[in-house]
Structures are given as C-alpha cells and as structure tokens.
Amino acid sequence: MLSIWTVGTIVGFYLLALFALAFWGDRHLRDNRQHPVLYSLGLGVHCTSWAFFGTTSQAAQYGWAVIPTYLGITLTMAFAFPVILHISRLCQQHNISSLADLISLKYQHSHLIAALITLLCFFGVVPYIALQLDAITKSINLLTGEPQTTTPWLSIYVAGLLAIFAITFGTRTLNLTDKHPGLLLTIAFESIIKLVALWAVGIFVCFFLFDGALDLISNAASNDSARDVIYADSAPWVYLSHVALGVCSMFVLPRQFHMNFVEQNGEGELRTARWLFPLYLFGMTLFIIPIALAGKMLLPVGTSSDAYVLALPLHTENIALSSFAFIGGLSATTSMVIVATLAMGIMISNNVVTPLWLKARLKTSPNQSMQPSKILSIRRITVVVVLSIALWYHLNISQAAPLVKSGVIAIALLAQCMPVLMFGIYWRRSSKAAAVSALLVGSTCWAIFLLYPSLLSSYYFNPAPTDQALGLGFAFSLLANCITFVVVAFISSRHGTNETDTTLQSNSPPNLLVKVRDLMALTERVLESATHSQLVKQLTIDVERASSSGYASQALIDRVNKLLAAQVGAPSARILLGAIADTGRAALPELVDWVEEATQSFQFNHEVLQSSVQNIEQGISVVDDKLQLLAWNDRYVELFAYPKGFLKAGMPITDILSYNAKRGLFNPSSIDKRVSYMREGTRHKHIRKQPDGKVIELNGAPLPGGGYVTTYSDITEYMAIQKELESAKEDLEERVAQRTAELEEAKLQADKANESKTKFLAAAGHDLMQPFNAATLFASMLSKKTQGSELATLSEGVVNSLDNAQSLLSMLLDMTKLDAGVLIPQKTEFAIDEMLSSLVQEFSVIAKQKGVTLRYVQTNVLVYSDKNLLRRVLQNLLSNAVRYTPKGSILVGVRRIQTANTEKKIKLCVYDTGLGIAAHQQHEIFSEFHQLDNNKGEGIGLGLTIVEKICRLLGHQVGLTSLPGKGSCFSVTATRIMHTSGNSKQVLKTESYNNGVFQGSCRLSC
C-alpha cells in the first residue's frame, strides 16, 4: 500500500508533466497544421475511467470480448464516414465551436434550441465528470487502503489543477476558431499512457500470473467463478443498445464532438483517424477478458469488478505496476475532465451566459458592449463553475454504483440530440418546432425510463434497474424522440412554417440595416485589435468619412457576423448586430450607396485564403485584378527570405518584383513580362536558379473571378537528382559503347581464328589423304598376297585400321569444308535407286558379319539433289544403323508424301530395330562429338552432325522417330521429280518386325 501523501505526489508530478507537455506543444506545434497521428490519438478521449475500469465489469458480467460502444464507433468510422465528413465541412465552413452551435445553425440559428441543447448536455456531462472523480477517489482508496472520507481534499486538489489546465490551454485566446495544439498533444499523450498501462496489466496477468493466455483459459474453465464469465449470457439486446450508444457518442458527446470537429485541422486527419482510431480501440479491449477472468479467480469474492485493473497488481504486491495502472486510470480521467469541462464551458458561455449578459447590459447601457477581456473572463469563469458543480456532485451526491450504469444513463440523455442533429442535416422538412418537441419528449422519456428507476434504487431501496431495462428505456426514449420529430415536422410543413436552413442560402436578402460607422465601432469594441485592424485594411472605403446615412452591404454584415461568432458565439453575435441595427424602413438601394465598393472588396476572402494556403508545401502568392497582393503563405516568405513585415495585403506586385530584382534573383528586364502575364491572364511556367543555389519552379495561372495565383516549388533536390541521373546515363552509354566495341573486336578475332583453323584443317586434311590412300592401297595388296598364310590376320587388321582412320579423316575434312562454306551443291535429277542399291550392297556384307538382316525395297522415283552429298548422308545413316543394331533387321526404302502446298516430296527412310534413342536425347545426337555410348561405340560422334549440316546445305529435312528398346527411323525429305513417261508404280507390303519400332505393315513406294 502507498501513503496518501505518496499518491498525492504522484498525481501532482503527473499533472505538472501534462502542463509542461502542453506548454511545449503550444510553442513548437504550429496552429492550423494537420497532425493526423496526434489527432487520431486525441480521439482516444472517448476512453474515460469507465473504459479503463468499468469495461472489466461488462466483461465479467457478460463475457463480452469486444466492447459494444467501441464496436459502434468502429462501425461509424467504416460505414458512416461520409456523415462525419459532411459535419466536419459544416463546422469548418461556419466556424462551429460546439454541438449546440451546429444544431442551432440548422434551425435558423435558434437561440432556444441552442439553449436546450446546452442544458441537456450540462445535465448529462456534470454527472459524468463526477463519475471520473469517483473513479479517481476509489483508485486512491484502493492504493492507500484508507476510507473515502479521508481523501476529499485530493479530489479538490485534482479538480483545481484540471480547471487551471483547461483555462490555460483551452481559453488562451478569444477566437473560438483557433486550435489548441498543446491541448491536442496532451490528450494524445494521455491516450498512449492509458493504452500502455492497460496492456502492462494485461501482459502481467497473462504471462506472469499465468503461463500464457491458454493456461489462463484452461484454469478459468476449472474455476466456478471464472467459468461464469466464459459461459455468461451475452445479452444480445443489451449489447445492441450499447452499440447504438457508441454510434451516438461519436456525434453528440460534447468532449468527442470537440475533438472530432472543433480541434480538427483538415480532412487528412479524419482519413487517418478512420483506421487508426478503431485500431486504438481494439488495443484498449484486447486484455479486458483476461483481466476479468484473472480477477474472478485470484481476487476475493467481494472485490468490485471495477477495481480488477488495480486490484490484481496490488494482490501480488507489485507496487510499481499498481502505480502505473493508477496513472493510466488518472490519464483516462483527466483527459475526459479537461476536454468535457472546456467543451461545456464554451457551450454554456456562448449560448446561455454571454447572450443573457449582453441583453441585460444593452437594456441598461445601449451604447456600450462587452470588451474582449470580459468575454474571455466569462468563458473562463464558466469552465470553473462547471467543474465546481461536478466536484460538488461528486462529493455530495454520487453513489457507489457500477461505473457502467452511470455512464449508460448519461450517454442515453446526450443521445437525445442525435435525431435532432441528423434530421436537421438530411431532412428538408425539419423545423424548429419539431426539434424542440423531440428534445422535450425524448428527455422526458429518458427521465421516466432511466433516471427515475435509478433514483428509486439509490434513495428508496428499490432493486437496481437491469442493463436490459436501461437498454430498453434508451430505445423507447430515442424512438419517442424520432416519432415526435417526424409528426411535428409534417404538421409544421402543412401549415407552411418550415423554414429550416434558410440562413444557409447564399441568395437570402438582407434582414439587418446597419450603418458602417456603427458596425466598425462594434468590431473595435468586441473584436481583438489585430482582427479589427485586418478587417479595416480589407475595406476600400474611408470608414472615418462614411456619413451617418451610409449603410453596410449584406456581404460586410455577414463578414462581421462571422468574425463576431468566432469570438463570442453565434447567438451573442446576432444579439450585438441586432442591437445596432436600424429599425427604419428606408429604401434599401439608397442606403447602401456608400458601401457598394466594400462589397467588391470581399470577392476574395483574405482570411480564408490565408488559412487555406498555409498548409501547402509550395510557396503561393495571390494578387487581385488590380495586381495587388491579396494572400500568401509562410512558405513563400521562406523561399525568398523576405524581411519580417515586408509583405502586406494590398501591396503592388511590381514593388515585390522590383525588390527581388534588386537582390539579384532575376533580371530586371523580365518584370514587365511577368506583369503582362498577370494582366492578360496568361498561364506561364518558368524555372529559375537563385544566387543561394536554390532552383525554383514558377507556375502562374489566372483566377476565374479576376486576379492571378503563382506557385513556387523548390525543385533543387529534384534537379540535382535529374543531373545525377543524366550523368549516370551518359556514363552507362559510354560503358555500353565500349563493351560493344570490345565484343565486336572479340567476335572478329574469333571469326578470324575459326577461319584460319578451317583453312588449316582443309589443307592438312587434303595433304594427309594422299599418304592414307597410298597406305590403304599397299595394305590391300599385302592382304591379297598373305591370304592363307600366318600373316593374313595381321594384314587384314592393318587394312581395317587404315579404313577407319581414312573414314575419320574424311569426316573431319567434310566438317571443315561445311564450316568453311566451300561446298557448293551441284543439284541434278537422278534415280534414287542407283544410289540406294549400291549403298545397300556395300553395307550388306558388314551387316551379315554382325548377324543383322539388311533389306531394301527398290523404287523408280527421281529426285532433285546433289548425288554425292545425298549419298554421303545416306551412307552415314546406314553406317549408324548397322553400328547400333546388335540384332534384328534394317529396312531401307522410299515413301512418297505430299505437303500442304501440293509440292511433291519423298522420304528416304532407314528403319532399324536397334537400341533406340530417348526423347530428351533426340536433339542432342546431332551435336558435334556427341555419342550415346562412348565406351562401346565407334567413331568420334560426327556422323549425324555431318548429316544435319549437309541436309541444311541441300535444303532437305532430317527426321527422327525412335522408341528406346524398340528401334529408330531416320528419314531425309527431298524433292521428287515426276516421270515424263508412264512408268508404273509398285507398292510392296513389308512384313511385320516383331522386335521393331514399327510393328504392323509399312507401305513403301517403289
């Protein structure tokens, strides 16, 4: 346990850290700059102490793994994102600062509706703020072990610091449209703290108290209390009602509305939050079930389920984790209290207190209005009052009911604004009467079905209302709200009283007659001095000399109304304008003569342009149709290093160009050219290098209503990259050219070497053939003379060896001639039978010696080819067939074929029943020096290579069909010559080869 002073010190140091972080954010984070991640985490203000402590009660009671309100928000982000975008654009367009402002905007700026929404939110938020203080008090009591009565001073201490924080960082300026980057950074930081703290407790439970999630679940299954969580009644109707509350909370919770729309700087933040915020909520719900199961198993039976997050570390005496969990709960509480108090303070100040104060002062002192400092003081006092009432409620009224039920009752009341908001935005029949009636009926039903049963339970000992009863009460009240709205809206439209949203129409006629002098006097007294001075500079009339009968145009009145609403709120702005309006009925055209020029001066809204272009990375300058500077951004000043205060609205563009020319940024002669572009409305694009080394790209374009906009992009880095790429390209082209030259030189050298090799082999082969022929002749003569003697075998071996050597040398010579291209085919017509018969006769002797039958089917066809080269081809094919056929038969014949173009062809076929050739080797055997069996085969593997090259030279096609173990068929397709005389054609049917590849009958032409 910790002492009360230790806990107080922890709280103090944590809140001081928040102050320091907020100060740093205000100083270093720019206003109106988008921060998508910070904004998404800032939406985590939804996760209050109820989300940190109370969700474990839901998990323990119903076994919900996914918190229903989180699911409602996720569904809203996924499916209702266009609605969020639409509301965001409305808020940005009309400077909306609160939920009441938005709803009253859609109902003719009704003060009554704004006041009703404000009161309803007040009654819903004050108990909810008290609930957060209750959570802190209970957490402190749990940490210290002291009774609740000893810690009220700590609640007062915390509430006071939070009030100071909200005033310091939420009401630092009078302008309600100013963003609060320090506040946003602080809320984002607290969102991270509460997520990390909850995860720390969840990891401690899963991996330190148990051996992982599976061990936790298995232990829970055997524990009676924890088993009730696993098999609890999921209460689907209660779950659905809470999902609906989650959907409503995205739009009507004051703190959520403030973070969603008021602190938003652009749609880019919303688009990031669309996926990042639901992911954050998933992280917040990840360990809820494990914590609930562990609490049921390890903690005493009487321990409140709201305290499981703190009680589990305390149960194991882990003081460090308990303190961190307490800080996580404190983060959830302080973020909600700060934003909710600020939102309610602004809403009450703008829609109730300030309007009433103004009306009272105008009655007593009609010529005086409220000073800016007094308006800001009212806003700050309102924040203190709201938090004081919540503190009083906490100290005197709050009961020790589960956090979830109190939260449901509060959100259910705030949800009564939802139908009024949505109908007002999307239904044209909506009316002020319908909105007021719906709010009253919905609030009454809420009081009957939700508030009254809770009061009876708290003070008259009635049974506490169940979650199902509360869910049904919420559904009934919301349904009654919607039905009332629809019925009254239809009745109002029939009576012609429906005037919703008429104030948003751009063509609405002026309804106030205000003198220019009175209008300027009002802005001088109410607006901040800088805002008033800027407004006066934008007017082209002399305000001091404007006559008492000069009236402002509607455009000027609308402009002032917008500025006043940004300072004091829309209701107070309308009261102030109404107080100085002339009640006379003079003819309007005569009243606005003095300020007609003021209407034209607002065709470009300087403030809107200025805030828009600040978020663009390019430098931008805008001039009006008189070529006077109208708007620019900081990036433009940064790019050209203008002195502070040099640029001013209305400054002639020629002065700026002349100043830049004097600094040497460009040639002075180009000023006239630039000015002519702007005056004529001509687009232009130019790239300019400045003395400081920057390369600037200028793009100019005319504006539709007159004027000219120029953008300035710093492309220095881009140009450097482009230069490097060009250099690399040139270097690469040089290397490619050099490499190509080297390759061409190498190829030339290789060709020369190959040519020299070919010539050498051709010459050497020719010279070698002569002695081989002589040796062969002498060996043949020696063989004849030694027949029958002991030297016969030896002489026969010499003859065979010389024949083999001569054959190999002939092959090499043929390859050399083919490679050298010296062979020129001498094609003639001849009878194929003469060549085939002689070849078959020569190889029959060799085949007979091997025991192989060589058969030949005679033919009488004529072919057109080179007789010697074709003989060489068939000789190699027959030689291979005899060599690779260990047994069986060889068949030689001719087949007549006809191609698709009716050209006559023949196939010279050599069939064998040899070893066969596998499919993957049938292409390889035509390569040089390739043999299927190098150990047993003869030759050097050039025969089929010579066949393929000679056939290619002759224009003949070589074919191969083979099956391993069955045999092969080599064929050569040649051109057939038709007979001039009527020779007969004989077709023989050869016998089947039982061992061959072609079993069955084979038809050959003869």
Side-chain angles (χ1 to χ4, degrees):
M1 296 293 180
L2 299 175
S3 68
I4 188 66
W5 295 106
T6 302
V7 175
T9 303
I10 292 174
V11 173
F13 275 112
Y14 177 74
L15 293 179
L16 287 176
L18 294 186
F19 272 91
L21 186 64
F23 275 116
W24 186 91
D26 273 345
R27 178 170 296 182
H28 293 88
L29 296 180
R30 292 182 57 185
D31 293 350
N32 301 317
R33 173 68 64 87
Q34 294 193 36
H35 307 285
V37 176
L38 291 181
Y39 172 79
S40 303
L41 292 173
L43 298 187
V45 72
H46 176 84
C47 300
T48 61
S49 61
W50 165 78
F52 199 80
F53 299 117
T55 50
T56 56
S57 291
Q58 285 187 330
Q61 183 176 359
Y62 297 111
W64 291 341
V66 178
I67 305 303
T69 51
Y70 296 173
L71 179 60
I73 292 174
T74 303
L75 293 176
T76 303
M77 283 294 194
F79 301 107
F81 191 69
V83 179
I84 298 176
L85 274 181
H86 181 60
I87 293 177
S88 170
R89 289 164 183 166
L90 282 176
C91 293
Q92 297 297 323
Q93 180 183 356
H94 298 283
N95 289 339
I96 298 300
S97 59
S98 66
L99 176 65
D101 287 348
L102 176 62
I103 295 179
S104 67
L105 171 74
K106 305 304 293 184
Y107 296 94
Q108 305 172 349
H109 293 281
S110 171
H111 297 179
L112 176 60
I113 291 180
L116 284 175
I117 295 294
T118 301
L119 292 176
L120 187 145
C121 290
F122 175 78
F123 287 120
V125 169
V126 166
Y128 210 92
I129 295 175
L131 194 63
Q132 310 308 305
L133 299 176
D134 288 343
I136 290 297
T137 301
K138 291 180 180 179
S139 300
I140 294 173
N141 292 335
L142 194 61
L143 276 176
T144 60
E146 297 184 11
Q148 184 174 356
T149 55
T150 63
T151 58
W153 66 269
L154 193 56
S155 298
I156 299 172
Y157 163 64
V158 172
L161 288 177
L162 294 181
I164 295 173
F165 187 95
I167 291 172
T168 303
F169 300 103
T171 61
R172 56 187 172 87
T173 61
L174 185 63
N175 196 329
L176 296 171
T177 61
D178 288 345
K179 309 303 178 184
H180 308 96
L183 176 66
L184 178 64
L185 179 63
T186 304
I187 301 303
F189 171 75
E190 292 196 289
S191 295
I192 295 175
I193 290 294
K194 55 193 172 190
L195 176 65
V196 174
L198 193 60
W199 273 42
V201 175
I203 292 172
F204 173 74
V205 167
C206 290
F207 300 101
F208 289 88
L209 299 183
F210 297 90
D211 293 330
L214 295 178
D215 180 56
L216 173 63
I217 295 173
S218 63
N219 280 276
S222 59
N223 183 280
D224 293 336
S225 299
R227 194 186 304 114
D228 292 340
V229 176
I230 298 175
Y231 299 102
D233 179 15
S234 59
W237 292 110
V238 177
Y239 192 89
L240 288 176
S241 66
H242 285 200
V243 170
L245 287 173
V247 174
C248 294
S249 67
M250 276 298 291
F251 300 99
V252 297
L253 282 187
R255 69 177 188 278
Q256 200 67 39
F257 185 92
H258 186 87
M259 294 306 299
N260 284 355
F261 306 114
V262 179
E263 294 294 337
Q264 182 213 124
N265 286 305
E267 294 182 8
E269 293 182 336
L270 269 180
R271 298 187 189 281
T272 301
R274 187 181 188 184
W275 61 268
L276 186 54
F277 184 39
L279 190 64
Y280 175 83
L281 295 179
F282 172 76
M284 288 295 294
T285 194
L286 188 61
F287 289 103
I288 295 301
I289 285 291
I291 292 173
L293 292 175
K296 287 289 186 181
M297 287 187 287
L298 302 179
L299 297 177
V301 177
T303 304
S304 171
S305 57
D306 292 338
Y308 282 174
V309 174
L310 274 178
L312 284 170
L314 285 174
H315 180 72
T316 58
E317 298 183 355
N318 192 329
I319 301 301
L321 183 59
S322 301
S323 301
F324 189 43
F326 169 73
I327 292 175
L330 182 64
S331 298
T333 297
T334 54
S335 61
M336 182 272 170
V337 172
I338 290 170
V339 181
T341 304
L342 175 63
M344 282 309 305
I346 293 174
M347 195 184 303
I348 294 173
S349 172
N350 289 351
N351 296 285
V352 178
V353 177
T354 304
L356 294 177
W357 183 279
L358 282 174
K359 287 185 177 181
R361 284 184 62 85
L362 290 172
K363 285 184 178 179
T364 57
S365 303
N367 296 325
Q368 293 185 2
S369 59
M370 195 173 295
Q371 298 296 324
S373 58
K374 294 182 179 179
I375 299 174
L376 200 56
S377 298
I378 289 178
R379 198 173 296 163
R380 290 168 175 170
I381 292 171
T382 307
V383 169
V384 174
V385 169
V386 169
L387 195 53
S388 300
I389 294 174
L391 179 62
W392 176 85
Y393 188 94
H394 154 67
L395 294 175
N396 297 281
I397 299 178
S398 292
Q399 302 296 318
L403 298 177
V404 175
K405 292 186 179 181
S406 300
V408 167
I409 294 172
I411 298 178
L413 174 61
L414 297 171
Q416 303 306 316
C417 303
M418 186 74 170
V420 177
L421 174 62
M422 292 303 163
F423 280 131
I425 293 175
Y426 290 105
W427 196 30
R428 296 183 62 85
R429 288 180 178 268
S430 302
S431 65
K432 183 167 63 174
V436 173
S437 303
L439 286 174
L440 293 176
V441 171
S443 301
T444 303
C445 292
W446 167 84
I448 295 173
F449 293 119
L450 284 86
L451 181 61
Y452 183 67
S454 299
L455 292 176
L456 291 179
S457 171
S458 299
Y459 296 103
Y460 297 97
F461 306 104
N462 281 17
T466 63
D467 286 335
Q468 185 170 0
L470 293 176
L472 290 175
F474 164 65
F476 289 152
S477 63
L478 202 63
L479 182 62
N481 188 322
C482 295
I483 292 175
T484 301
F485 192 100
V486 172
V487 171
V488 175
F490 273 113
I491 295 174
S492 301
S493 62
R494 288 184 179 180
H495 289 80
T497 59
N498 181 16
E499 299 177 357
T500 301
D501 211 19
T502 56
T503 58
L504 298 183
Q505 298 176 8
S506 58
N507 58 350
S508 56
N511 51 11
L512 291 176
L513 303 179
V514 182
K515 294 179 181 179
V516 176
R517 188 160 41 192
D518 294 341
L519 196 62
M520 292 299 103
L522 175 65
T523 59
E524 185 178 7
R525 292 194 300 269
V526 177
L527 299 181
E528 294 175 327
S529 58
T531 306
H532 171 74
S533 300
Q534 187 178 17
L535 175 65
V536 173
K537 287 180 181 179
Q538 292 176 354
L539 297 178
T540 58
I541 62 173
D542 187 354
V543 178
E544 297 297 332
R545 296 177 58 188
S547 78
S548 59
S549 60
Y551 284 83
S553 67
Q554 186 62 35
L556 180 57
I557 294 175
D558 291 342
R559 173 65 174 166
V560 172
N561 180 53
K562 192 173 184 180
L563 291 174
L564 291 174
Q567 304 282 67
V568 299
S572 299
R574 294 177 69 83
I575 291 174
L576 289 171
L577 289 174
I580 64 172
D582 195 340
T583 57
R585 294 294 181 264
L588 191 59
E590 299 177 0
L591 296 175
V592 297
D593 288 340
W594 283 94
V595 290
E596 197 60 41
E597 191 178 358
T599 304
Q600 298 176 0
S601 69
F602 280 90
Q603 56 183 317
F604 291 109
N605 189 318
H606 177 266
E607 183 178 325
V608 174
L609 283 175
Q610 194 73 27
S611 62
S612 300
V613 301
Q614 286 298 340
N615 296 317
I616 301 176
E617 290 297 328
Q618 298 172 313
I620 293 180
S621 66
V622 183
V623 297
D624 57 18
D625 54 356
K626 299 177 182 178
L627 300 187
Q628 295 177 344
L629 186 63
L630 185 65
W632 63 93
N633 64 353
D634 292 342
R635 182 61 175 162
Y636 175 64
V637 177
E638 179 185 343
L639 284 175
F640 296 102
Y642 290 117
K644 186 176 181 180
F646 174 74
L647 297 179
K648 297 178 181 179
M651 185 177 186
I653 193 63
T654 52
D655 293 352
I656 301 175
L657 294 176
S658 299
Y659 175 76
N660 289 334
K662 289 178 182 178
R663 293 192 296 166
L665 297 184
F666 55 86
N667 195 322
S669 61
S670 62
I671 295 178
D672 294 337
K673 188 176 181 180
R674 287 279 304 280
V675 172
S676 65
Y677 284 143
M678 298 179 190
R679 185 173 289 113
E680 297 169 5
T682 306
R683 291 179 176 271
H684 77 280
K685 183 176 182 181
H686 179 65
I687 295 178
R688 184 174 71 208
K689 187 172 183 180
Q690 298 187 169
D692 59 358
K694 289 182 180 179
V695 182
I696 307 297
E697 182 184 59
L698 288 74
N699 282 279
L703 294 175
Y708 204 83
V709 59
T710 307
T711 61
Y712 306 85
S713 304
D714 186 354
I715 59 171
T716 307
E717 185 177 354
Y718 168 78
M719 295 300 291
I721 295 173
Q722 183 180 9
K723 188 174 181 180
E724 290 177 4
L725 289 175
E726 290 176 353
S727 176
K729 177 187 174 186
E730 293 174 359
D731 183 56
L732 182 60
E733 288 176 349
E734 269 184 41
R735 292 170 60 189
V736 169
Q738 182 181 356
R739 186 61 177 165
T740 303
E742 291 175 356
L743 291 175
E744 289 178 352
E745 180 65 22
K747 182 177 181 298
L748 182 61
Q749 295 295 334
D751 291 342
K752 288 181 179 180
N754 184 57
E755 184 179 355
S756 299
K757 179 264 296 181
T758 302
K759 290 180 180 179
F760 170 75
L761 290 176
H766 182 270
D767 293 340
L768 288 173
M769 285 300 293
Q770 292 180 358
F772 264 112
N773 290 334
T776 303
L777 179 61
F778 291 141
S780 299
M781 294 173 61
L782 180 63
S783 177
K784 289 180 181 180
K785 290 183 178 183
T786 58
Q787 287 181 355
S789 65
E790 295 180 356
L791 298 175
T793 305
L794 183 60
S795 61
E796 185 178 353
V798 172
V799 172
N800 290 337
S801 297
L802 288 172
D803 288 340
N804 289 336
Q806 185 178 8
S807 176
L808 293 175
L809 191 57
S810 297
M811 287 185 181
L812 287 172
L813 190 58
D814 290 344
M815 283 295 297
T816 303
K817 290 179 180 181
L818 288 170
D819 288 340
V822 298
L823 284 179
I824 300 175
Q826 302 294 329
K827 292 188 177 182
T828 58
E829 297 179 5
F830 61 92
I832 195 65
D833 183 66
E834 298 175 4
M835 182 176 60
L836 290 177
S837 297
S838 62
L839 285 173
V840 170
Q841 186 177 1
E842 291 176 11
F843 283 96
S844 294
V845 178
I846 303 174
K848 187 174 182 181
Q849 291 176 354
K850 291 189 64 176
V852 176
T853 303
L854 177 58
R855 300 178 183 275
Y856 168 56
V857 179
Q858 293 185 340
T859 180
N860 61 356
V861 298
L862 300 177
V863 296
Y864 180 71
S865 184
D866 187 308
K867 187 174 183 179
N868 294 328
L869 293 178
L870 186 58
R871 178 183 175 86
R872 185 66 173 161
V873 169
L874 294 174
Q875 182 180 353
N876 285 344
L877 294 179
L878 276 171
S879 175
N880 285 345
V882 172
R883 182 181 302 165
Y884 294 107
T885 304
K887 60 180 179 178
S889 303
I890 298 173
L891 175 64
V892 180
V894 177
R895 298 185 63 188
R896 302 171 188 260
I897 61 174
Q898 186 169 345
T899 60
N901 57 1
T902 69
E903 188 178 1
K904 306 297 183 181
K905 297 282 186 180
I906 62 166
K907 268 190 180 181
L908 304 174
C909 303
V910 179
Y911 296 90
D912 66 65
T913 58
L915 302 176
I917 304 169
H920 68 278
Q921 291 182 316
Q922 291 180 11
H923 181 72
E924 297 175 358
I925 60 174
F926 291 97
S927 302
E928 296 178 3
F929 305 105
H930 184 87
Q931 290 180 301
L932 295 179
D933 191 349
N934 291 325
N935 295 327
K936 296 181 180 180
E938 302 174 1
I940 58 174
L942 289 175
L944 288 177
T945 305
I946 293 174
V947 168
E948 192 269 336
K949 290 191 175 184
I950 292 176
C951 287
R952 191 190 308 163
L953 183 63
L954 295 173
H956 299 339
Q957 183 179 355
V958 182
L960 169 61
T961 306
S962 180
L963 290 175
K966 298 294 184 179
S968 305
C969 172
F970 285 88
S971 63
V972 177
T973 303
T975 304
R976 176 164 62 97
I977 303 300
M978 302 301 296
H979 292 280
T980 56
S981 60
N983 294 328
S984 62
K985 181 176 71 172
Q986 181 183 3
V987 179
L988 297 181
K989 184 175 182 181
T990 63
E991 66 272 25
S992 300
Y993 292 94
N994 294 328
N995 297 326
V997 63
F998 302 102
Q999 297 184 2
S1001 50
C1002 176
R1003 301 178 65 87
L1004 296 177
S1005 300
C1006 303

